[in-house]
Amino acid sequence: MDCSGLVRMAYLAQGRILPRDAWQQALQGEAVSVADLQVGDLIFFGNAKTRRVTHVGIYAGNGEYVHSSQMVRRNSLKNTSPLYLPLTILACRRVEGTLLADIVSKM
């Protein structure tokens, strides 16, 4: 399962249908800052120069996020963490009407 497929399935489990591709998902909900991330918010990564979204993850709390690239994994936004993955954040979005805390905690 790829990253946008993981996000789509997690939201679908909560009764919310999101588009299939990460760049389309980046148009959903409202923008939030990295400092204001809440569990279940979406983090979009990509090319800073072109602003092209190429990856998406679900914020899991404590500076960590869950994402998928052939396998589901947990990484950190904190460059001091051993789970840190140096990806460029392009945007963060909050899609209302979902309670992903339970799902994300099991990932």
Side-chain angles (χ1 to χ4, degrees), residues 2-98:
D2 69 1
C3 60
S4 58
L6 173 68
V7 168
R8 191 163 196 261
M9 293 307 293
Y11 273 79
L12 187 59
Q14 294 293 310
R16 183 70 186 248
I17 298 173
L18 291 184
R20 173 64 184 94
D21 294 322
W23 70 269
Q24 295 169 315
Q25 293 172 354
L27 303 174
Q28 304 298 304
E30 66 180 60
V32 294
S33 69
V34 172
D36 291 328
L37 282 170
Q38 295 177 7
V39 173
D41 288 346
L42 301 179
I43 308 169
F44 296 93
F45 305 93
N47 184 306
K49 193 173 191 176
T50 65
R51 305 296 299 169
R52 182 173 178 259
V53 172
T54 58
H55 195 62
V56 60
I58 304 170
Y59 188 66
N62 298 320
E64 295 182 357
Y65 60 98
V66 176
H67 63 119
S68 179
S69 181
Q70 298 182 1
M71 62 186 252
V72 176
R73 63 186 101 193
R74 185 180 286 252
N75 284 104
S76 179
L77 299 173
K78 299 175 184 178
N79 62 7
T80 56
S81 169
L83 297 175
Y84 178 69
L85 189 62
L87 299 175
T88 302
I89 297 174
L90 297 181
C92 301
R93 308 288 291 187
R94 179 168 300 141
V95 178
E96 296 296 333
T98 57

